[in-house]
């Protein structure tokens, strides 16, 4: 990964990554004990919520004579997870997993209950859950789970005896298999489709339908040229701590100019005024500082930078106008916060100091480098096979603090897509990336922090975070058209009892609209 900016390592939000509980080789009693143990530590933690959802899924699929008992236990676990306001904040696909488990529960109840009316009622509910899960998994960048739930909609229709609908839903599944390159699943689904149509479904018939199955790859080449664009950035942040929820939004548009000079390419911005929706600003101590930090990060977008002729990041460009604009925007933001009354004072007081930290040279340089490399620099010269997941390690920022640490990253060329909505030319590709902090690095920092604050082992700070990205980019030029970033984080100082943690979800969407030039015509 072509990250040339130095990593910035700041003391503060430290901890260790959390791994979800899996159902393989684990008994119901072990699941129950794990949930109880985690619930005592923190009922809102991602570990606890993951465990509840995994346990509910396990019980929904558990075979046995006493189905009504274990399905009730599954529903109890699901209800406990859904009751947590942290579910939709801290878990990237939490709501999708809820719909997924609901589908499994409804299908299991349809098989458990003996009456035809109840069976149809549960299958209809299963169908609705499967459809919701398709949309939610799509929003969470999980194509495998999305296509799986699309297949499950066809099974629900089939079990309801709706022949036409089940065939149409299965054909839609196959279309997705072809779009995302899921060859093995497509072959199985073609076989089932032929069986449902009462047609021959032998190896020859399957091979005939798989003969034109697309085999896609993409080689990404740096081919920038002088161009103008309109760039729009929108950010949506939800935070939860100590029983209080904060929700803030921000957006800004800028004219971008890319020009070639002697030393390489210069990318400059002429931003418009930004807009912010502050919601009800929080008063809880755990939320106040992070809300101010999030607002400050929204102010520091659109900093000019320079890259080399071959595409490597060189440096951010210091600009008096940029600094003056950020300070002026901070004053406007403080004024808008003050309009909410005395309750907004804690956040209002923190915006200025938070903006100063966000504008520090090291933090800003690393953030500009990260943004450029995620959009273009990382991918220069890469050849990606569709559907293959690749691994790498790179320094990325964490939510909740200006902290840059090594991350374990996986990414894939997911599918070919139009560069812009409404276009029929699918010349761009979609890259999906997921990243989690390197556990060894975080544990090392945690150990250092523990030595600083004292030898007590009863209070161990913890950090869980995951960053996900959907990038639409032209592989022939590496000009980005859109990038959507999801960042979820959980921070706890390790104090016992509930409401001792801070949770955050942040969604940032960047859209580039390029001006048409003579070269495009």
């Amino acid at each position: 990964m072509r990250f040339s900016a130095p990593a910035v390592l700041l003391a503060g939000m430290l901890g260790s990554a959390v791994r979800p509980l899996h159902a393989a080789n684990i008994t119901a009693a072990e699941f129950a004990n794990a949930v109880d143990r985690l619930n005592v530590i923190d009922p809102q933690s991602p570990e606890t919520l993951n465990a509840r959802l995994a346990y509910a899924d396990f019980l929904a699929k558990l075979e046995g004579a006493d189905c009504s008992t274990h399905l009730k236990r599954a529903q109890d676990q699901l209800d406990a997870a859904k009751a947590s306001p942290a579910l939709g904040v801290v878990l990237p696909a939490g709501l999708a997993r809820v719909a997924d488990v609901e589908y499994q529960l409804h299908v299991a109840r349809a098989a458990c209950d003996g009456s035809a009316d109840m069976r149809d009622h549960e299958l209809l509910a299963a169908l609705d859950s499967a459809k919701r899960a398709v949309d939610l998994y799509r929003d969470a960048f999980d194509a495998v789970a999305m296509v799986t739930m699309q297949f499950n909609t066809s099974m629900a229709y089939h079990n309801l005896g709706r022949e036409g609908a089940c065939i149409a839903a299965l054909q839609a599944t196959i279309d997705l298999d072809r779009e995302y390159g899921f060859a093995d699943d497509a072959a199985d689904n073609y076989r089932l489709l032929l069986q449902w149509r009462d047609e021959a479904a032998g190896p020859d018939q399957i091979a005939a339908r798989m003969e034109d199955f697309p085999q896609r790859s993409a080689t990404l080449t740096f081919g920038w040229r002088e161009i103008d664009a309109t760039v729009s950035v929108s950010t949506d942040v939800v935070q939860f701590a100590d029983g209080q929820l904060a929700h803030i939004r921000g957006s800004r548009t800028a004219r971008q100019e890319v020009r070639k000079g002697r030393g390489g390419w210069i990318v400059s911005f002429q931003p418009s005024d930004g807009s912010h929706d502050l919601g009800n600003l929080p008063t809880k101590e755990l939320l106040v500082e992070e809300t101010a930090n999030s607002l400050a990060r929204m102010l520091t977008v659109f900093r000019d930078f320079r890259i080399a002729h071959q595409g490597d990041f060189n440096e951010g460009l210091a600009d008096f106008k940029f600094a003056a604009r950020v300070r002026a925007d901070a004053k406007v933001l403080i004024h808008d916060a003050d309009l909410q009354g005395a309750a907004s004072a804690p956040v209002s007081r923190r915006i200025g100091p938070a903006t100063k930290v966000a504008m520090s040279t090291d933090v800003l340089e690393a953030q500009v480098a990260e943004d450029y490399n995620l959009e273009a620099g990382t991918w220069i010269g890469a050849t990606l096979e569709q559907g293959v997941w690749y691994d790498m390690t790179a320094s990325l920022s964490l939510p909740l603090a200006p902290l840059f640490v090594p991350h374990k990253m996986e990414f894939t060329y997911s599918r070919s897509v139009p560069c812009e909505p409404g276009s029929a030319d699918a010349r761009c590709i979609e890259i999906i990336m997921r990243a989690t902090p390197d556990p060894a690095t975080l544990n090392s920092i945690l150990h250092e922090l523990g030595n600083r604050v004292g030898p007590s082992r009863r209070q161990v700070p913890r950090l869980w975070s995951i960053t996900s990205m959907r990038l639409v980019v032209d592989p022939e030029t590496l000009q980005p058209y859109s990038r959507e970033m999801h960042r979820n984080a959980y921070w706890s100082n390790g104090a016992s009892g509930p409401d001792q943690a801070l949770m955050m979800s942040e969604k940032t969407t960047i859209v580039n609209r390029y001006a048409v030039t003579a070269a495009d015509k």
Side-chain angles (χ1 to χ4, degrees), residues 38-192:
L38 292 167
N39 193 61
V40 170
I41 298 172
D42 185 354
Q44 312 285 5
S45 75
E47 300 105 317
T48 305
L49 297 173
N50 269 319
R52 288 195 184 279
L53 292 174
Y55 188 24
D57 184 73
F58 172 86
L59 291 170
K61 298 173 181 175
L62 189 64
E63 297 181 358
D66 192 11
C67 57
S68 60
T69 298
H70 62 245
L71 290 179
K72 182 182 182 305
R73 289 162 58 197
Q75 187 66 57
D76 290 342
Q77 292 298 323
L78 182 61
D79 289 344
K82 290 169 62 177
S84 169
L87 177 70
V89 178
V90 72
L91 293 186
L95 299 179
R97 291 179 61 194
V98 166
D100 193 334
V101 174
E102 287 176 341
Y103 167 82
Q104 302 296 341
L105 277 169
H106 290 306
V107 169
R109 289 196 190 100
C112 181
D113 194 282
S115 69
D117 288 344
M118 183 57 69
R119 176 183 179 276
D120 286 351
H121 173 78
E122 292 293 344
L123 288 175
L124 286 170
L127 176 63
D128 178 69
S129 295
K131 289 180 176 179
R132 283 190 292 107
V134 169
D135 292 335
L136 291 167
Y137 276 127
R138 180 186 290 110
D139 293 341
F141 312 149
D142 192 336
V144 173
M146 177 192 72
V147 179
T148 298
M149 294 310 297
Q150 174 60 38
F151 172 81
N152 287 338
T153 64
S154 69
M155 294 303 299
Y157 278 125
H158 179 73
N159 292 333
L160 284 164
R162 299 185 182 181
E163 181 179 354
C166 75
I167 289 175
L170 185 55
Q171 182 61 62
T173 306
I174 294 171
D175 293 343
L176 290 172
D177 288 334
R178 297 179 71 90
E179 180 179 356
Y180 287 93
F182 300 153
D184 292 341
D185 290 340
D188 291 339
N189 290 333
Y190 272 127
R191 182 177 297 106
L192 182 59

Side-chain angles (χ1 to χ4, degrees), residues 327-372:
R327 287 193 291 267
D329 287 347
K331 290 181 180 179
V332 172
L333 199 56
I334 292 170
H335 175 265
D336 290 346
D338 288 339
L339 292 178
Q340 293 196 12
S344 68
V347 172
S348 182
R349 285 194 298 267
R350 286 296 308 156
I351 292 175
T355 302
K356 185 176 181 180
V357 171
M359 289 181 64
S360 65
T361 302
D362 287 343
V363 172
L364 198 55
E365 183 82 357
Q367 189 63 65
V368 172
E370 175 181 293
D371 288 339
Y372 166 73

Side-chain angles (χ1 to χ4, degrees), residues 288-326:
V288 166
E289 184 166 358
E290 185 48 39
T291 298
N293 290 340
S294 295
L295 289 169
R297 287 193 293 270
M298 293 180 192
L299 301 180
T300 56
V301 297
F302 299 139
R303 188 192 187 203
D304 299 351
F305 62 94
R306 180 184 287 116
I307 59 175
H309 288 297
Q310 298 80 14
D312 289 332
F313 180 82
N314 269 355
E315 60 181 345
L317 298 178
D319 186 348
F320 173 78
K321 290 183 179 180
F322 172 82
R325 188 258 295 173
V326 173

Side-chain angles (χ1 to χ4, degrees), residues 14 441-452:
L14 312 173
T441 301
L442 288 181
N443 287 336
S444 175
I445 300 170
L446 177 62
H447 179 73
E448 180 182 347
L449 179 64
N451 289 338
R452 257 190 258 160

